[in-house]
Amino acid sequence: MKVLIVDDNVAIREIIAEILTVDGCEIRQTGTISDAIREIEEFRPEITLLDTIVEGRSTIGFIDSLDESFGTKLILLVNGKEQIPRDTPLIIGSIKKPFKSSDILDAIRGHGKIPKDKIDPIKKERPKMKKCIEHTVKDLLAPMRISTYLRER
């Protein structure tokens, strides 16, 4: 999997790069937004790990400028109190600093690309599955309601 790491802290970039390289990811890293734009266009990473503050500025403007056609999804590296924008489909997750190597690996492994033909059937089946589960739960609870009703009388 191709991963781009964007953080102005060299130590953090190196740690994440080492964790992901050992896991078999192809890594590129940068500490500036201008380099990140170039890397996204040229490298075409599947996932970009993006610090929410790079070079002392918020990366929200950068996130808003990204086009979905580049094919990268974002996992934000956040400090404890930062809010994650919920209206941006490119953001698929976040990792709070300080992090453990398992936090990085879980985030990356959990958001690899799934072929579209595998996603669409699942989305179509969810309403049917939900309805089935609701009926099953009602059926399971019905005898309990009857016994509760009889005990109260």
Side-chain angles (χ1 to χ4, degrees):
M1 176 181 303
K2 290 181 169 185
V3 179
L4 174 64
I5 304 163
V6 183
D7 195 316
D8 54 357
N9 185 322
V10 177
I12 289 176
R13 285 197 322 256
E14 291 295 326
I15 290 167
I16 295 171
E18 185 175 334
I19 292 166
L20 294 177
T21 300
V22 168
D23 201 50
C25 294
E26 186 178 344
I27 303 298
R28 295 246 183 114
Q29 50 182 303
T30 181
T32 66
I33 294 300
S34 57
D35 287 345
I37 294 167
R38 190 185 76 253
E39 288 291 346
I40 288 172
E41 290 173 348
E42 294 173 8
F43 181 56
R44 299 285 183 170
E46 294 172 57
I47 294 179
T48 298
L49 291 171
L50 176 66
D51 192 3
T52 54
I53 304 290
V54 175
E55 299 177 302
R57 294 185 304 226
S58 171
T59 54
I60 298 300
F62 167 69
I63 294 168
D64 291 339
S65 72
L66 281 178
D67 187 340
E68 287 186 46
S69 67
F70 288 124
T72 193
K73 297 292 183 183
L74 302 173
I75 297 176
L76 300 183
L77 302 171
V78 298
N79 292 318
K81 297 179 181 179
E82 293 172 312
Q83 293 293 322
I84 301 165
R86 304 232 183 257
D87 59 344
T88 306
L90 293 177
I91 299 172
I92 58 171
S94 65
I95 300 169
K96 287 189 179 181
K97 294 179 188 177
F99 52 81
K100 297 180 267 183
S101 58
S102 61
D103 297 335
I104 300 292
L105 293 172
D106 291 346
I108 295 294
R109 289 174 181 163
H111 295 292
K113 282 192 175 176
I114 300 171
K116 196 168 188 146
D117 63 326
K118 302 288 185 204
I119 294 173
D120 289 342
I122 294 169
K123 283 185 178 177
K124 289 176 187 171
E125 293 298 319
R126 274 197 188 127
K128 292 179 191 172
M129 290 168 50
K130 185 177 177 185
K131 201 171 208 170
C132 179
I133 291 168
E134 287 172 357
H135 286 294
T136 303
V137 169
K138 285 179 185 175
D139 293 343
L140 290 171
L141 293 178
M144 292 167 53
R145 283 194 209 111
I146 292 169
S147 64
T148 302
Y149 174 76
L150 292 174
R151 272 189 299 217
E152 290 174 354
R153 293 205 149 259

PDB file of all heavy atoms in Angstrom, residues 58-87:
ATOM      1  N   SER A  58      -2.997  25.530  10.104  1.00  0.00           N
ATOM      2  CA  SER A  58      -3.986  24.460   9.997  1.00  0.00           C
ATOM      3  C   SER A  58      -3.965  23.871   8.586  1.00  0.00           C
ATOM      4  O   SER A  58      -3.778  24.586   7.600  1.00  0.00           O
ATOM      5  CB  SER A  58      -5.376  25.013  10.295  1.00  0.00           C
ATOM      6  OG  SER A  58      -6.356  24.043   9.990  1.00  0.00           O
ATOM      7  N   THR A  59      -4.187  22.586   8.488  1.00  0.00           N
ATOM      8  CA  THR A  59      -4.204  21.928   7.179  1.00  0.00           C
ATOM      9  C   THR A  59      -5.626  21.794   6.609  1.00  0.00           C
ATOM     10  O   THR A  59      -5.813  21.176   5.568  1.00  0.00           O
ATOM     11  CB  THR A  59      -3.554  20.529   7.266  1.00  0.00           C
ATOM     12  OG1 THR A  59      -4.198  19.771   8.295  1.00  0.00           O
ATOM     13  CG2 THR A  59      -2.072  20.638   7.548  1.00  0.00           C
ATOM     14  N   ILE A  60      -6.601  22.412   7.259  1.00  0.00           N
ATOM     15  CA  ILE A  60      -7.989  22.334   6.786  1.00  0.00           C
ATOM     16  C   ILE A  60      -8.125  22.902   5.372  1.00  0.00           C
ATOM     17  O   ILE A  60      -8.807  22.320   4.531  1.00  0.00           O
ATOM     18  CB  ILE A  60      -8.951  23.049   7.762  1.00  0.00           C
ATOM     19  CG1 ILE A  60      -8.933  22.366   9.135  1.00  0.00           C
ATOM     20  CG2 ILE A  60     -10.368  23.096   7.199  1.00  0.00           C
ATOM     21  CD1 ILE A  60      -9.352  20.908   9.141  1.00  0.00           C
ATOM     22  N   GLY A  61      -7.471  24.012   5.081  1.00  0.00           N
ATOM     23  CA  GLY A  61      -7.518  24.586   3.733  1.00  0.00           C
ATOM     24  C   GLY A  61      -6.956  23.626   2.697  1.00  0.00           C
ATOM     25  O   GLY A  61      -7.494  23.499   1.595  1.00  0.00           O
ATOM     26  N   PHE A  62      -5.884  22.944   3.057  1.00  0.00           N
ATOM     27  CA  PHE A  62      -5.290  21.943   2.170  1.00  0.00           C
ATOM     28  C   PHE A  62      -6.270  20.797   1.934  1.00  0.00           C
ATOM     29  O   PHE A  62      -6.473  20.355   0.802  1.00  0.00           O
ATOM     30  CB  PHE A  62      -3.988  21.425   2.787  1.00  0.00           C
ATOM     31  CG  PHE A  62      -3.445  20.195   2.132  1.00  0.00           C
ATOM     32  CD1 PHE A  62      -2.929  20.239   0.845  1.00  0.00           C
ATOM     33  CD2 PHE A  62      -3.429  18.987   2.803  1.00  0.00           C
ATOM     34  CE1 PHE A  62      -2.411  19.100   0.237  1.00  0.00           C
ATOM     35  CE2 PHE A  62      -2.915  17.852   2.207  1.00  0.00           C
ATOM     36  CZ  PHE A  62      -2.407  17.910   0.921  1.00  0.00           C
ATOM     37  N   ILE A  63      -6.901  20.345   3.005  1.00  0.00           N
ATOM     38  CA  ILE A  63      -7.876  19.250   2.892  1.00  0.00           C
ATOM     39  C   ILE A  63      -9.016  19.652   1.959  1.00  0.00           C
ATOM     40  O   ILE A  63      -9.416  18.889   1.085  1.00  0.00           O
ATOM     41  CB  ILE A  63      -8.422  18.855   4.280  1.00  0.00           C
ATOM     42  CG1 ILE A  63      -7.308  18.246   5.130  1.00  0.00           C
ATOM     43  CG2 ILE A  63      -9.613  17.910   4.156  1.00  0.00           C
ATOM     44  CD1 ILE A  63      -7.650  18.074   6.591  1.00  0.00           C
ATOM     45  N   ASP A  64      -9.524  20.873   2.139  1.00  0.00           N
ATOM     46  CA  ASP A  64     -10.631  21.353   1.297  1.00  0.00           C
ATOM     47  C   ASP A  64     -10.238  21.467  -0.169  1.00  0.00           C
ATOM     48  O   ASP A  64     -11.088  21.353  -1.053  1.00  0.00           O
ATOM     49  CB  ASP A  64     -11.139  22.709   1.804  1.00  0.00           C
ATOM     50  CG  ASP A  64     -11.841  22.595   3.150  1.00  0.00           C
ATOM     51  OD1 ASP A  64     -12.282  21.481   3.509  1.00  0.00           O
ATOM     52  OD2 ASP A  64     -11.938  23.623   3.851  1.00  0.00           O
ATOM     53  N   SER A  65      -8.949  21.693  -0.438  1.00  0.00           N
ATOM     54  CA  SER A  65      -8.502  21.859  -1.825  1.00  0.00           C
ATOM     55  C   SER A  65      -8.251  20.539  -2.543  1.00  0.00           C
ATOM     56  O   SER A  65      -8.103  20.515  -3.760  1.00  0.00           O
ATOM     57  CB  SER A  65      -7.224  22.705  -1.874  1.00  0.00           C
ATOM     58  OG  SER A  65      -6.123  21.961  -1.390  1.00  0.00           O
ATOM     59  N   LEU A  66      -8.199  19.442  -1.797  1.00  0.00           N
ATOM     60  CA  LEU A  66      -7.922  18.144  -2.417  1.00  0.00           C
ATOM     61  C   LEU A  66      -9.105  17.672  -3.253  1.00  0.00           C
ATOM     62  O   LEU A  66     -10.253  17.803  -2.853  1.00  0.00           O
ATOM     63  CB  LEU A  66      -7.608  17.085  -1.360  1.00  0.00           C
ATOM     64  CG  LEU A  66      -6.218  17.110  -0.773  1.00  0.00           C
ATOM     65  CD1 LEU A  66      -6.097  16.034   0.302  1.00  0.00           C
ATOM     66  CD2 LEU A  66      -5.157  16.901  -1.823  1.00  0.00           C
ATOM     67  N   ASP A  67      -8.782  17.067  -4.370  1.00  0.00           N
ATOM     68  CA  ASP A  67      -9.789  16.533  -5.272  1.00  0.00           C
ATOM     69  C   ASP A  67      -9.856  15.022  -5.062  1.00  0.00           C
ATOM     70  O   ASP A  67      -8.821  14.354  -4.967  1.00  0.00           O
ATOM     71  CB  ASP A  67      -9.383  16.865  -6.714  1.00  0.00           C
ATOM     72  CG  ASP A  67     -10.441  16.514  -7.722  1.00  0.00           C
ATOM     73  OD1 ASP A  67     -11.323  15.679  -7.408  1.00  0.00           O
ATOM     74  OD2 ASP A  67     -10.396  17.062  -8.823  1.00  0.00           O
ATOM     75  N   GLU A  68     -11.063  14.485  -4.994  1.00  0.00           N
ATOM     76  CA  GLU A  68     -11.221  13.040  -4.796  1.00  0.00           C
ATOM     77  C   GLU A  68     -10.599  12.226  -5.927  1.00  0.00           C
ATOM     78  O   GLU A  68     -10.284  11.056  -5.753  1.00  0.00           O
ATOM     79  CB  GLU A  68     -12.696  12.686  -4.644  1.00  0.00           C
ATOM     80  CG  GLU A  68     -13.265  13.107  -3.309  1.00  0.00           C
ATOM     81  CD  GLU A  68     -14.685  12.620  -3.103  1.00  0.00           C
ATOM     82  OE1 GLU A  68     -14.957  11.433  -3.374  1.00  0.00           O
ATOM     83  OE2 GLU A  68     -15.518  13.426  -2.675  1.00  0.00           O
ATOM     84  N   SER A  69     -10.419  12.836  -7.083  1.00  0.00           N
ATOM     85  CA  SER A  69      -9.868  12.105  -8.233  1.00  0.00           C
ATOM     86  C   SER A  69      -8.415  11.672  -8.007  1.00  0.00           C
ATOM     87  O   SER A  69      -7.922  10.794  -8.703  1.00  0.00           O
ATOM     88  CB  SER A  69      -9.970  12.951  -9.501  1.00  0.00           C
ATOM     89  OG  SER A  69      -9.115  14.077  -9.420  1.00  0.00           O
ATOM     90  N   PHE A  70      -7.729  12.269  -7.027  1.00  0.00           N
ATOM     91  CA  PHE A  70      -6.362  11.851  -6.730  1.00  0.00           C
ATOM     92  C   PHE A  70      -6.337  10.462  -6.103  1.00  0.00           C
ATOM     93  O   PHE A  70      -5.322   9.787  -6.102  1.00  0.00           O
ATOM     94  CB  PHE A  70      -5.651  12.845  -5.816  1.00  0.00           C
ATOM     95  CG  PHE A  70      -5.286  14.136  -6.497  1.00  0.00           C
ATOM     96  CD1 PHE A  70      -5.719  15.345  -5.986  1.00  0.00           C
ATOM     97  CD2 PHE A  70      -4.520  14.141  -7.645  1.00  0.00           C
ATOM     98  CE1 PHE A  70      -5.386  16.537  -6.605  1.00  0.00           C
ATOM     99  CE2 PHE A  70      -4.176  15.329  -8.272  1.00  0.00           C
ATOM    100  CZ  PHE A  70      -4.619  16.528  -7.751  1.00  0.00           C
ATOM    101  N   GLY A  71      -7.449  10.057  -5.525  1.00  0.00           N
ATOM    102  CA  GLY A  71      -7.560   8.700  -4.989  1.00  0.00           C
ATOM    103  C   GLY A  71      -6.973   8.491  -3.612  1.00  0.00           C
ATOM    104  O   GLY A  71      -6.918   7.366  -3.141  1.00  0.00           O
ATOM    105  N   THR A  72      -6.538   9.537  -2.950  1.00  0.00           N
ATOM    106  CA  THR A  72      -5.982   9.361  -1.610  1.00  0.00           C
ATOM    107  C   THR A  72      -7.060   9.614  -0.565  1.00  0.00           C
ATOM    108  O   THR A  72      -7.960  10.431  -0.762  1.00  0.00           O
ATOM    109  CB  THR A  72      -4.772  10.285  -1.368  1.00  0.00           C
ATOM    110  OG1 THR A  72      -4.090   9.858  -0.179  1.00  0.00           O
ATOM    111  CG2 THR A  72      -5.146  11.738  -1.232  1.00  0.00           C
ATOM    112  N   LYS A  73      -6.979   8.881   0.517  1.00  0.00           N
ATOM    113  CA  LYS A  73      -7.839   9.089   1.669  1.00  0.00           C
ATOM    114  C   LYS A  73      -6.958   9.605   2.801  1.00  0.00           C
ATOM    115  O   LYS A  73      -5.775   9.305   2.862  1.00  0.00           O
ATOM    116  CB  LYS A  73      -8.526   7.793   2.096  1.00  0.00           C
ATOM    117  CG  LYS A  73      -9.451   7.232   1.035  1.00  0.00           C
ATOM    118  CD  LYS A  73     -10.641   8.127   0.841  1.00  0.00           C
ATOM    119  CE  LYS A  73     -11.606   7.535  -0.167  1.00  0.00           C
ATOM    120  NZ  LYS A  73     -12.723   8.403  -0.441  1.00  0.00           N
ATOM    121  N   LEU A  74      -7.543  10.378   3.699  1.00  0.00           N
ATOM    122  CA  LEU A  74      -6.773  11.032   4.756  1.00  0.00           C
ATOM    123  C   LEU A  74      -7.030  10.403   6.121  1.00  0.00           C
ATOM    124  O   LEU A  74      -8.177  10.149   6.486  1.00  0.00           O
ATOM    125  CB  LEU A  74      -7.128  12.515   4.823  1.00  0.00           C
ATOM    126  CG  LEU A  74      -6.918  13.322   3.550  1.00  0.00           C
ATOM    127  CD1 LEU A  74      -7.475  14.730   3.729  1.00  0.00           C
ATOM    128  CD2 LEU A  74      -5.457  13.371   3.172  1.00  0.00           C
ATOM    129  N   ILE A  75      -5.947  10.193   6.844  1.00  0.00           N
ATOM    130  CA  ILE A  75      -6.016   9.865   8.261  1.00  0.00           C
ATOM    131  C   ILE A  75      -5.273  10.987   8.962  1.00  0.00           C
ATOM    132  O   ILE A  75      -4.098  11.218   8.697  1.00  0.00           O
ATOM    133  CB  ILE A  75      -5.384   8.498   8.566  1.00  0.00           C
ATOM    134  CG1 ILE A  75      -6.160   7.383   7.853  1.00  0.00           C
ATOM    135  CG2 ILE A  75      -5.357   8.253  10.076  1.00  0.00           C
ATOM    136  CD1 ILE A  75      -5.573   6.004   8.012  1.00  0.00           C
ATOM    137  N   LEU A  76      -5.979  11.711   9.817  1.00  0.00           N
ATOM    138  CA  LEU A  76      -5.395  12.885  10.469  1.00  0.00           C
ATOM    139  C   LEU A  76      -4.634  12.501  11.727  1.00  0.00           C
ATOM    140  O   LEU A  76      -5.077  11.656  12.503  1.00  0.00           O
ATOM    141  CB  LEU A  76      -6.485  13.894  10.812  1.00  0.00           C
ATOM    142  CG  LEU A  76      -7.300  14.444   9.646  1.00  0.00           C
ATOM    143  CD1 LEU A  76      -8.300  15.484  10.135  1.00  0.00           C
ATOM    144  CD2 LEU A  76      -6.407  15.038   8.577  1.00  0.00           C
ATOM    145  N   LEU A  77      -3.495  13.153  11.920  1.00  0.00           N
ATOM    146  CA  LEU A  77      -2.709  13.034  13.148  1.00  0.00           C
ATOM    147  C   LEU A  77      -3.091  14.222  14.011  1.00  0.00           C
ATOM    148  O   LEU A  77      -2.800  15.364  13.654  1.00  0.00           O
ATOM    149  CB  LEU A  77      -1.213  13.050  12.822  1.00  0.00           C
ATOM    150  CG  LEU A  77      -0.739  11.954  11.872  1.00  0.00           C
ATOM    151  CD1 LEU A  77       0.703  12.202  11.452  1.00  0.00           C
ATOM    152  CD2 LEU A  77      -0.881  10.586  12.512  1.00  0.00           C
ATOM    153  N   VAL A  78      -3.784  13.972  15.110  1.00  0.00           N
ATOM    154  CA  VAL A  78      -4.356  15.064  15.899  1.00  0.00           C
ATOM    155  C   VAL A  78      -3.815  15.084  17.323  1.00  0.00           C
ATOM    156  O   VAL A  78      -3.436  14.055  17.878  1.00  0.00           O
ATOM    157  CB  VAL A  78      -5.902  14.972  15.953  1.00  0.00           C
ATOM    158  CG1 VAL A  78      -6.506  15.094  14.577  1.00  0.00           C
ATOM    159  CG2 VAL A  78      -6.370  13.700  16.615  1.00  0.00           C
ATOM    160  N   ASN A  79      -3.777  16.298  17.883  1.00  0.00           N
ATOM    161  CA  ASN A  79      -3.513  16.449  19.310  1.00  0.00           C
ATOM    162  C   ASN A  79      -4.843  16.260  20.019  1.00  0.00           C
ATOM    163  O   ASN A  79      -5.899  16.406  19.409  1.00  0.00           O
ATOM    164  CB  ASN A  79      -2.918  17.825  19.600  1.00  0.00           C
ATOM    165  CG  ASN A  79      -1.525  17.956  19.017  1.00  0.00           C
ATOM    166  OD1 ASN A  79      -0.733  17.028  19.104  1.00  0.00           O
ATOM    167  ND2 ASN A  79      -1.243  19.077  18.392  1.00  0.00           N
ATOM    168  N   GLY A  80      -4.814  15.960  21.281  1.00  0.00           N
ATOM    169  CA  GLY A  80      -6.000  15.583  22.032  1.00  0.00           C
ATOM    170  C   GLY A  80      -7.263  16.403  21.865  1.00  0.00           C
ATOM    171  O   GLY A  80      -8.346  15.857  21.820  1.00  0.00           O
ATOM    172  N   LYS A  81      -7.173  17.724  21.765  1.00  0.00           N
ATOM    173  CA  LYS A  81      -8.374  18.560  21.814  1.00  0.00           C
ATOM    174  C   LYS A  81      -8.875  19.014  20.446  1.00  0.00           C
ATOM    175  O   LYS A  81      -9.881  19.693  20.366  1.00  0.00           O
ATOM    176  CB  LYS A  81      -8.109  19.783  22.679  1.00  0.00           C
ATOM    177  CG  LYS A  81      -7.805  19.421  24.118  1.00  0.00           C
ATOM    178  CD  LYS A  81      -7.524  20.646  24.940  1.00  0.00           C
ATOM    179  CE  LYS A  81      -7.190  20.238  26.364  1.00  0.00           C
ATOM    180  NZ  LYS A  81      -6.893  21.374  27.209  1.00  0.00           N
ATOM    181  N   GLU A  82      -8.195  18.663  19.379  1.00  0.00           N
ATOM    182  CA  GLU A  82      -8.583  19.139  18.058  1.00  0.00           C
ATOM    183  C   GLU A  82      -9.851  18.450  17.563  1.00  0.00           C
ATOM    184  O   GLU A  82     -10.056  17.264  17.793  1.00  0.00           O
ATOM    185  CB  GLU A  82      -7.453  18.904  17.051  1.00  0.00           C
ATOM    186  CG  GLU A  82      -6.253  19.755  17.337  1.00  0.00           C
ATOM    187  CD  GLU A  82      -5.081  19.390  16.456  1.00  0.00           C
ATOM    188  OE1 GLU A  82      -4.777  18.203  16.337  1.00  0.00           O
ATOM    189  OE2 GLU A  82      -4.473  20.314  15.911  1.00  0.00           O
ATOM    190  N   GLN A  83     -10.685  19.216  16.872  1.00  0.00           N
ATOM    191  CA  GLN A  83     -11.900  18.685  16.275  1.00  0.00           C
ATOM    192  C   GLN A  83     -11.602  18.206  14.858  1.00  0.00           C
ATOM    193  O   GLN A  83     -10.894  18.877  14.114  1.00  0.00           O
ATOM    194  CB  GLN A  83     -12.980  19.767  16.229  1.00  0.00           C
ATOM    195  CG  GLN A  83     -13.468  20.193  17.598  1.00  0.00           C
ATOM    196  CD  GLN A  83     -14.217  19.074  18.306  1.00  0.00           C
ATOM    197  OE1 GLN A  83     -14.952  18.329  17.693  1.00  0.00           O
ATOM    198  NE2 GLN A  83     -14.008  18.960  19.610  1.00  0.00           N
ATOM    199  N   ILE A  84     -12.163  17.086  14.489  1.00  0.00           N
ATOM    200  CA  ILE A  84     -11.973  16.529  13.149  1.00  0.00           C
ATOM    201  C   ILE A  84     -13.180  16.916  12.306  1.00  0.00           C
ATOM    202  O   ILE A  84     -14.318  16.679  12.715  1.00  0.00           O
ATOM    203  CB  ILE A  84     -11.847  14.997  13.220  1.00  0.00           C
ATOM    204  CG1 ILE A  84     -10.668  14.620  14.103  1.00  0.00           C
ATOM    205  CG2 ILE A  84     -11.723  14.398  11.831  1.00  0.00           C
ATOM    206  CD1 ILE A  84     -10.665  13.197  14.532  1.00  0.00           C
ATOM    207  N   PRO A  85     -12.949  17.504  11.132  1.00  0.00           N
ATOM    208  CA  PRO A  85     -14.079  17.839  10.268  1.00  0.00           C
ATOM    209  C   PRO A  85     -14.849  16.578   9.877  1.00  0.00           C
ATOM    210  O   PRO A  85     -14.257  15.581   9.485  1.00  0.00           O
ATOM    211  CB  PRO A  85     -13.421  18.467   9.027  1.00  0.00           C
ATOM    212  CG  PRO A  85     -12.033  18.793   9.429  1.00  0.00           C
ATOM    213  CD  PRO A  85     -11.672  17.882  10.545  1.00  0.00           C
ATOM    214  N   ARG A  86     -16.155  16.613  10.016  1.00  0.00           N
ATOM    215  CA  ARG A  86     -16.974  15.432   9.731  1.00  0.00           C
ATOM    216  C   ARG A  86     -17.627  15.489   8.349  1.00  0.00           C
ATOM    217  O   ARG A  86     -18.204  14.512   7.905  1.00  0.00           O
ATOM    218  CB  ARG A  86     -18.059  15.294  10.787  1.00  0.00           C
ATOM    219  CG  ARG A  86     -17.474  15.230  12.189  1.00  0.00           C
ATOM    220  CD  ARG A  86     -17.997  14.041  12.929  1.00  0.00           C
ATOM    221  NE  ARG A  86     -17.497  14.003  14.276  1.00  0.00           N
ATOM    222  CZ  ARG A  86     -16.523  13.203  14.660  1.00  0.00           C
ATOM    223  NH1 ARG A  86     -15.950  12.418  13.816  1.00  0.00           N
ATOM    224  NH2 ARG A  86     -16.116  13.200  15.906  1.00  0.00           N
ATOM    225  N   ASP A  87     -17.538  16.636   7.689  1.00  0.00           N
ATOM    226  CA  ASP A  87     -18.221  16.808   6.412  1.00  0.00           C
ATOM    227  C   ASP A  87     -17.296  16.581   5.211  1.00  0.00           C
ATOM    228  O   ASP A  87     -17.644  16.905   4.096  1.00  0.00           O
ATOM    229  CB  ASP A  87     -18.854  18.188   6.333  1.00  0.00           C
ATOM    230  CG  ASP A  87     -17.825  19.303   6.480  1.00  0.00           C
ATOM    231  OD1 ASP A  87     -16.706  19.022   6.928  1.00  0.00           O
ATOM    232  OD2 ASP A  87     -18.155  20.452   6.145  1.00  0.00           O
TER     233      ASP A  87
END
